[in-house]
Amino acid sequence: MVAKTFGSAVSGVDANLITIEVNVGQGTSFFMVGLPDSAVKESQQRVESALKYFNYRMPRQKVVINLAPADVRKEGSAYDLPIAMGILQASEQVNFPELDRYVIMGELSLDGNLRPIKGVLPIAIEARKRGFKGFILPLENAKEASIVNNIDIIGVETMDQAVDFLQGTLAIEPLVTDTREIFYHSLDQSEFDFADVQGQENIKRAMEIAAAGGHNVIMIGPPGAGKTMLAKRLPSILPPLSLQEALETTKIHSVAGKLGRNASLLAQRPFRSPHHTISDVALVGGGGNPQPGEISLAHNGVLFLDELPEFKRTVLEVMRQPLEERKVTISRAKVSVDYPANFMLIASMNPCPCGYYNHPEKECVCGPGIVQRYLNKVSGPLLDRIDLHVEVTPVKFDEMTSTRKSESSKAIRERVIKGRERQKLRFENNPEVFCNAMMPSHMVKEVCQINEAGKALLKTAMERLGLSARAYDRILKVARTIADIAGSEAIKVEHLAEAIQYRSLDREGWAG
């Protein structure tokens, strides 16, 4: 007899339906076909042990299991449960009247308990799309899958519960989650707040501009000046995630297995801070079994690279293309996978190896040429993709001990949201562009027009400060964002003047 169960394989951030066909016939062998990897092949031992534990038997006949479509590679241990259900049905030990109406996934332990699996959210979305009645999965993953409505999410703790449910002898109430309630309840819950930061008003202002226009930022200053502390607070002033963005972000974290147990919808913008010893693959994604990297885990959020020159040159260079295209493509001989990577890059660095170049009080001990060599570790093309260069100076003692309350993240966020709303209206006919930082060069000329006084100021600044040509577009984009925050239709001279000061590293002889 042939039995069919349904599972799913995750590819990128989407899932494909997998049909698991089980045939029990004459003979004494066990075959598994359809490009299974080692983890799938090893399911034979796990399934046999779990069946025996609940007083079922592994058929001592010829068992053939086909995972279709046969040309798609099947990976991981999540096929244990559907294979076990298929064997029980095909060997006529039980009868499941509605087996073909459910997608079933789960890893079995030897005593028949179910372990959590990865990629549950895209599987639930695909199951609903295909018109299945429900999705049977480990109880620890049920909350994550219940984000998807109009499909029964059946969480089970053991194989025996799944058998009884499919036979109709055990009633399990589908798990229902009010996604909107969770989403809106969690929107304003932020661990860090700008109200905790004393002083550094100019850096807070730069962060506000960056958040309002989606600009990338590099902070340069001595150790202990507060670069990391300020970067960690950036997500608290970014506009709240939309429900669609929250789903996208949760899907990526689900595929990577980063959601944790009993997790639900991610309503906070992600903040990823990889160590400088990270490899190329860990940053952008990939591997033999392609997985999302840090830049995809930071999708719709912030990627913070602390001590930028300490990162390997190759690691930083592979990030250049995703910064432009807002996605990363992992290509293999048989498969090509796209992961979204629309993130804000926040980088920080010391001005020199000792950290005290340009320090107001401490003396730099680096020899001639060393400062420039240190700065050159960050390539020009990468700096070209960073709009704001901000010098961070140490906080004075008086500011540190001041009892005056700093402006809260909530107040800053309101101005950021207003700025973003102006941009949303401006770019409503350009679906690929939704903030000033994403404007291509031809659009900059059209959107960022300046008057004669502004042109004169910009010309003087470029000549006197020795600004490079690449700084021109960046200054105009940042000035447009400053005007948006101020609620101004036109870019005024004061907006340009403020934008010019955020190009420190473009100045010729900055480290001379």
Side-chain angles (χ1 to χ4, degrees):
M1 181 180 172
V2 176
K4 282 187 183 179
T5 60
F6 294 94
S8 189
V10 175
S11 173
V13 290
D14 297 310
N16 301 313
L17 189 69
I18 301 295
T19 306
I20 297 137
E21 301 168 330
V22 183
N23 183 22
V24 177
Q26 290 185 339
T28 55
S29 46
F30 183 97
F31 295 101
M32 190 176 291
V33 295
L35 279 184
D37 73 349
S38 298
V40 181
K41 286 176 184 172
E42 288 166 358
S43 68
Q44 180 186 353
Q45 277 69 38
R46 292 191 295 272
V47 169
E48 185 170 355
S49 176
L51 288 172
K52 283 180 180 174
Y53 191 85
F54 291 115
N55 299 317
Y56 298 107
R57 59 180 172 79
M58 189 73 164
R60 295 299 168 217
Q61 296 161 275
K62 183 180 179 183
V63 178
V64 179
I65 296 169
N66 178 40
L67 307 172
D71 60 342
V72 175
R73 187 159 177 78
K74 322 302 181 306
E75 293 164 332
S77 54
Y79 297 98
D80 294 359
L81 188 59
I83 288 170
M85 298 298 105
I87 288 172
L88 287 173
Q89 176 90 328
S91 60
E92 299 180 337
Q93 296 180 64
V94 293
N95 178 40
F96 299 134
E98 290 193 317
L99 186 62
D100 59 350
R101 299 193 64 194
Y102 288 89
V103 168
I104 306 170
M105 294 296 276
E107 179 189 336
L108 286 170
S109 59
L110 297 182
D111 61 358
N113 285 318
L114 284 166
R115 292 197 171 100
I117 58 174
K118 290 181 184 178
V120 161
L121 183 56
I123 294 171
I125 292 168
E126 182 66 16
R128 182 183 65 180
K129 196 167 107 183
R130 297 277 187 151
F132 283 91
K133 181 183 178 182
F135 179 17
I136 299 172
L137 74 167
L139 186 62
E140 288 183 31
N141 293 121
K143 199 170 179 186
E144 178 189 332
S146 66
I147 294 168
V148 183
N149 56 12
N150 300 328
I151 184 169
D152 291 351
I153 302 300
I154 309 297
V156 291
E157 292 182 278
T158 64
M159 186 191 85
D160 204 29
Q161 284 183 4
V163 171
D164 291 346
F165 173 78
L166 285 166
Q167 278 185 301
T169 58
L170 174 67
I172 299 176
E173 198 65 33
L175 185 63
V176 178
T177 300
D178 188 340
T179 311
R180 291 183 184 277
E181 188 189 336
I182 290 175
F183 177 66
Y184 292 115
H185 176 69
S186 308
L187 272 182
D188 293 321
Q189 293 178 357
S190 185
E191 190 182 346
F192 302 105
D193 197 297
F194 273 102
D196 307 328
V197 182
Q198 295 291 354
Q200 302 292 25
E201 298 305 324
N202 60 325
I203 319 301
K204 289 180 196 170
R205 172 66 176 168
M207 288 294 189
E208 181 184 332
I209 294 164
H215 302 288
N216 299 324
V217 183
I218 184 166
M219 293 181 283
I220 182 162
K227 301 187 291 292
T228 306
M229 181 182 67
L230 287 155
K232 281 183 178 175
R233 281 159 176 74
L234 181 63
S236 69
I237 62 168
L238 286 170
L241 285 169
S242 66
L243 201 52
Q244 182 59 40
E245 285 176 328
L247 268 171
E248 275 178 17
T249 309
T250 310
K251 261 171 86 173
I252 297 165
H253 286 250
S254 172
V255 168
K258 302 283 186 188
L259 276 182
R261 296 182 176 186
N262 298 312
S264 187
L265 191 68
L266 288 177
Q268 299 293 318
R269 291 192 180 271
F271 179 86
R272 305 294 299 182
S273 179
H275 193 259
H276 61 256
T277 54
I278 193 170
S279 68
D280 312 15
V281 170
L283 188 71
V284 298
N289 169 22
Q291 286 286 303
E294 287 290 334
I295 62 171
S296 294
L297 292 170
H299 179 61
N300 290 325
V302 175
L303 178 72
F304 176 50
L305 301 184
D306 202 2
E307 303 303 339
L308 191 67
E310 302 301 328
F311 283 79
K312 290 199 290 284
R313 183 81 174 221
T314 52
V315 171
L316 296 178
E317 296 310 299
V318 293
M319 210 167 52
R320 278 157 50 179
Q321 192 177 356
L323 274 169
E324 288 289 319
E325 296 184 0
R326 310 276 169 172
K327 66 173 184 177
V328 60
T329 304
I330 311 293
S331 297
R332 295 290 176 267
K334 289 187 179 178
V335 67
S336 182
V337 178
D338 280 346
Y339 291 117
N342 182 18
F343 60 93
M344 270 181 72
L345 173 66
I346 307 297
S348 76
M349 62 182 284
N350 293 333
C352 65
C354 81
Y356 295 111
Y357 180 78
N358 267 358
H359 194 283
E361 293 160 13
K362 297 188 181 178
E363 195 175 335
C364 174
V365 296
C366 301
I370 289 178
V371 177
Q372 191 62 54
R373 206 174 308 133
Y374 186 74
L375 293 173
N376 286 345
K377 284 186 178 182
V378 183
S379 70
L382 182 63
L383 276 179
D384 191 28
R385 288 160 173 79
I386 298 176
D387 296 349
L388 289 101
H389 306 162
V390 188
E391 287 183 69
V392 184
T393 52
V395 182
K396 293 184 175 69
F397 182 78
D398 292 345
E399 288 180 330
M400 219 184 299
T401 54
S402 170
T403 53
R404 186 174 63 87
K405 194 74 175 169
S406 297
E407 191 175 24
S408 70
S409 291
K410 190 178 179 183
I412 301 171
R413 189 191 221 182
E414 284 170 8
R415 294 197 295 270
V416 168
I417 291 169
K418 282 179 185 171
R420 284 282 180 117
E421 281 170 356
R422 295 179 77 89
Q423 291 163 54
K424 192 177 178 181
L425 286 170
R426 182 180 299 132
F427 303 125
E428 60 186 350
N429 297 324
N430 296 279
E432 297 298 311
V433 180
F434 49 83
C435 61
N436 289 334
M438 297 174 76
M439 279 191 285
S441 294
H442 66 86
M443 201 181 282
V444 172
K445 289 177 184 172
E446 180 188 325
V447 173
C448 305
Q449 293 181 1
I450 51 177
N451 57 23
E452 290 304 317
K455 285 178 185 173
L457 173 68
L458 199 49
K459 184 183 178 187
T460 307
M462 292 191 77
E463 287 171 357
R464 281 198 186 165
L465 300 174
L467 295 177
S468 62
R470 71 173 176 232
Y472 179 76
D473 272 9
R474 305 284 164 187
I475 288 170
L476 288 178
K477 285 182 186 181
V478 173
R480 179 65 268 170
T481 301
I482 295 167
D484 287 340
I485 294 170
S488 169
E489 284 297 323
I491 298 175
K492 298 177 181 174
V493 174
E494 57 266 30
H495 303 147
L496 266 175
E498 187 177 356
I500 289 164
Q501 72 177 0
Y502 296 125
R503 297 303 301 180
S504 312
L505 295 178
D506 275 325
R507 295 173 195 166
E508 286 177 7
W510 187 88

